[in-house]
Each structure stands twice: as structure tokens, then as C-alpha cells.
Amino acid sequence: MPSQLTSSRSEALVGAVRAPGDKSMSHRSMILGGMASGVTEVEGLLEGDDVLATARAVEAFGAKVQRTGDGKWRIEGAGGFKTPLTVIDCGNAGTGVRLLMGAAAGYPLTATFDGDASLRKRPMKRVTGPLADMGARFGWLAAEDRLPVALTGGTLNAIDYVQTVASAQVKSAILLAGLNAQGVTSVTEPEKSRDHTERMLRAFGAEVGVEEMDEGWKVTLKGGQPLTGTFVAVPGDPSSAAFPLAAGLVVPGSVVTVEGVMLNPLRTGLFDTWLEMGADLTISNRRQAGGEDVGDITARHSALKGVVVPEARAASMIDEYPILAATAAFADGVTVMRGVGEMRVKESDRISLMVEGLRACGVQVEEEPEGFIVTGAPAVPGGATVHTAHDHRIAMSHLVLGLAADQPVSVDEPGMIATSFPGFVEMMNGLGGRIA
């Protein structure tokens, strides 16, 4: 990948492509496969840098991990994690490191977790705090609340944990630790976050309870349940599918289909929002894959209008706000995105970077502590070089913007796109885009 990529105004994008495997499910299939007894076969795994880092970590914890084909992997679990001989380097994978810490906490082992410069800036106490309440011990090796950190696990006790902000990563880490804790572990959320961990735990043989409460949702898991290897078919990632679909919506004359996209209702908030904005978005060939609803989504160039995105929708689309903001730049009127403060502690401060990038491209944007407001127009000037801070979603969102802007848009440090979407440039150019 070059040190800079530039996207230029394109003719109509036309064609059908397949989204990369879902990143959330790919991480979880690797981790649960490593924890389980027996063999787990995975099909459709996302072979991006983040997931490959998780695969190496699972191997370091004692599982046998083998790539058997394109997106096909075999994990032979040892029935539990063992003390690794090396530092667990999770690269840029926030999901990977947090879920791995939860899984490892339940075993009598010691492990040190680290990551790249970006991951070292991300807060970890949201996970290590509840894990410490369960009995795990942590030693910060550089800065408090930041990687690297040493974990000592084993002899955990169940907890009842109440989240103030719905987070699938925190919930999943606690549930994975709860598998090997004494008693029944529960996590209560104000809003229901993505439920891939609950679904996949059931596929590996665990019993997981989900109950709707007066204020939120409660997930319960009894400790001491063994996991058994299984087959996992990973559907297409809706977060990745969002980029070619967004290009289809904003580039005049375009008709873009992305096949095999996961339609889990806790992951389709962006599609719901686009429909409210007037997007010509249709879903066909609905079916089941890997225990999830999937379908083929077609986006046609649309005259979008601004909307107020419900704050309660944030948990179902927190990773999609950057590309929503890019499409909102072309919408008629104001798009209000609030209640998304979680964006500030992702791979970067995504609110600040999207505001900075859109303004550089001539878009009117107002920044707020917990959100931002985009005032769109049919014509976006473009003509800027956008700072991405090594964030793949910031880079891809602005490259999509450049495909319909008046002047080219460049992004720096595009190599991080490979963390979630290897082949992004080739796919977009194959549809007729101009990215180089």
C-alpha cells in the first residue's frame, strides 16, 4: 500500500461484489475455537490484519491453528488456554485484545498483552475493571489503563455487571471470563449491543440466557460450561459492505450490489438510517448463514435528505458513523448524530477526525462533545488531503467521499485499511471507482 491514496470523481459504479467476512464473528470464532475441546472449522473468515493477530494469539495460548483455503481455517482447541511463551501482540485489534483478555482471565495462567502505537492509546480499564472484580489480576507495565498489561487469571467468581453504555466488547469479555467462573455471571445493558458472542457461545454448546428488562437487557451465563468445537460460517461484514454501498448511493448513475451481507438487526442501524434519508436500498435473496440472517443489498444513486439519527441506534451502528457522515455530506439538509461519544475512543477520535476531514473537503460540520452535525449539499468541493491517524474507517470513508466530490480527496497512512478490508481498493476500482 502506498503512503497516500487519492480518490477522484468517478463515472457510475456498477456491479456485484461480496463483502469480506464479518470481523466481529471472525474474532469470536477464533477465540471460542481456541477455548473449546475438539476441532472448529471456519469458513468465510476475514483474513485482515486484526483477525490474523487474534489467530496468532490463540495459537500462542496453545491451540493449533491452520489455514486450509481462502477464508477457511481449522482450529484444534486444547480445552482451555495455557500460559503463552511470548507477549500476546494484538496489533491494532481492539476487539481482539479485549475479548482475549476476558477469555484468558478464566484460566490459571500469566500473559502479557500489547499492541501497536494506536492500540496502546485505547483505554483498557473498561474491560480490566470488571475482570479484576471477578478475581483476575493486572499489572500495568507502562501507563495506567493502557497497554502493555500483564494478566494473571484463574479462580474467578461470577459478577452481576451493569453497563452505563452498551458495549459488545465489554459484555463479551465478561461472558468469556464467566465461562470459567464460580456462579452465574450476568451483564445488563441499557441498550442491546451486538449479540454475536451470545449466539456463538450457543453454537459451541453453552447455555446463555437473554432477558428484556424494564431498562435494558440482561445476559446470563453459568460458569463451568465446556465448549465443543463446531462449524462456523462467517457471513459478510455489514460494516465493510457499507463502503461500496455508500459509493453506490452518492456517485450518479450507480447500481452496486453487495452479496451475502449479515442482516442481524443489531448491526443494520446504518441501513435503517439510509432508508430514512431516502436511499434506494433494496435487499434480496434473504437466507441463513452461520446462524445469522443474510441477504444481498443493492444501492442505487439516490437524492438523500438530512435526518436526526436516534441516539438509541448508536449501539447498532457505532462503527458506521464515519461513512454515514460521508454520505450525509451529499444529503439535502442537516444530519444530526448525537450520543456517539464512544467514537472518541475507537482506533482514533473518530468524531474529531471526521469533522476535520469533512471541513477540509468543504463540508459544513459542527462538532459536539458527544456527536456532530453535518449540513450537506448536492455538491461537495473535495480537494483535500485528510489525516487519518492510522484509522481504517476514516480513510475508507473519505475515499468514498472523493469518488463523488468535485475535486480529488487524498488520505494519508492508508495501509491500515488492511486491518478490516483487504482488497478494498481493488474492489472499489473493479466497480468503476478511481482510487490510486
Side-chain angles (χ1 to χ4, degrees), residues 107-300:
Y107 299 105
L109 57 76
T110 299
T112 298
F113 293 87
D114 203 355
D116 66 9
S118 174
L119 192 59
R120 283 187 169 194
K121 295 177 182 178
R122 299 181 68 176
M124 292 295 148
K125 276 197 171 179
R126 56 179 55 195
V127 167
T128 63
L131 294 179
D133 291 341
M134 298 175 80
R137 289 172 287 155
F138 294 91
W140 304 103
L141 302 179
E144 187 85 1
D145 194 26
R146 297 294 189 269
L147 297 178
V149 63
L151 174 156
T152 301
T155 62
L156 302 187
N157 292 308
I159 58 171
D160 297 311
Y161 189 75
V162 179
Q163 295 198 81
T164 55
V165 177
S167 168
Q169 290 182 2
V170 176
K171 173 181 65 176
S172 298
I174 295 170
L175 292 176
L176 293 178
L179 277 172
N180 292 297
Q182 291 289 327
V184 177
T185 294
S186 72
V187 180
T188 302
E189 304 179 289
E191 303 288 341
K192 199 172 183 182
S193 66
R194 58 183 65 177
D195 62 352
H196 305 308
T197 298
E198 296 95 304
R199 288 172 180 255
M200 201 171 289
L201 280 167
R202 295 189 188 105
F204 279 83
E207 292 185 8
V208 183
V210 180
E211 178 184 2
E212 186 173 5
M213 311 290 286
D214 290 337
E215 295 183 2
W217 296 80
K218 185 175 184 178
V219 183
T220 57
L221 174 76
K222 184 179 180 180
Q225 298 188 64
L227 301 180
T228 304
T230 188
F231 172 75
V232 180
V234 179
D237 193 330
S239 300
S240 297
F243 296 104
L245 292 173
L249 294 176
V250 300
V251 176
S254 296
V255 182
V256 173
T257 298
V258 183
E259 299 172 345
V261 182
M262 180 198 298
L263 298 175
N264 183 311
L266 300 175
R267 296 288 301 280
T268 56
L270 173 65
F271 305 147
D272 295 336
T273 302
W274 275 342
L275 288 170
E276 292 168 2
M277 296 173 75
D280 185 346
L281 206 67
T282 57
I283 300 174
S284 60
N285 192 22
R286 289 179 179 266
R287 55 202 186 276
Q288 282 268 316
E292 298 279 1
D293 293 331
V294 303
D296 303 337
I297 306 179
T298 299
R300 294 173 176 82

Side-chain angles (χ1 to χ4, degrees), residues 321-322 324-330 333-337 343-344 350-368 371-377 380-381 398 401:
Y321 279 93
L324 172 61
T327 54
F330 296 93
V334 177
T335 297
V336 180
M337 294 162 278
M343 289 178 66
R344 294 198 184 274
R350 285 179 172 166
I351 293 177
S352 177
L353 283 177
M354 282 307 300
V355 169
E356 177 187 314
L358 290 175
R359 282 177 178 166
C361 291
V363 180
Q364 183 179 336
V365 193
E366 179 182 347
E367 182 173 356
E368 297 182 345
F372 54 124
I373 301 169
V374 175
T375 301
V380 172
H398 284 96
L401 182 90

Side-chain angles (χ1 to χ4, degrees), residues 31-92:
I31 294 170
L32 291 178
M35 297 174 73
S37 296
V39 174
T40 295
E41 299 278 357
V42 184
E43 186 177 277
L45 187 94
L46 171 65
E47 295 176 332
D49 292 348
D50 282 4
V51 176
L52 295 180
T54 295
R56 290 190 294 270
V58 167
E59 195 167 38
F61 279 119
K64 295 179 181 178
V65 180
Q66 179 185 8
R67 185 179 188 268
T68 59
D70 187 15
K72 296 181 179 181
W73 290 70
R74 184 181 190 273
I75 306 119
E76 186 177 342
F81 283 4
K82 308 296 188 296
T83 295
L85 300 177
T86 60
V87 171
I88 301 299
D89 183 355
C90 293
N92 191 244

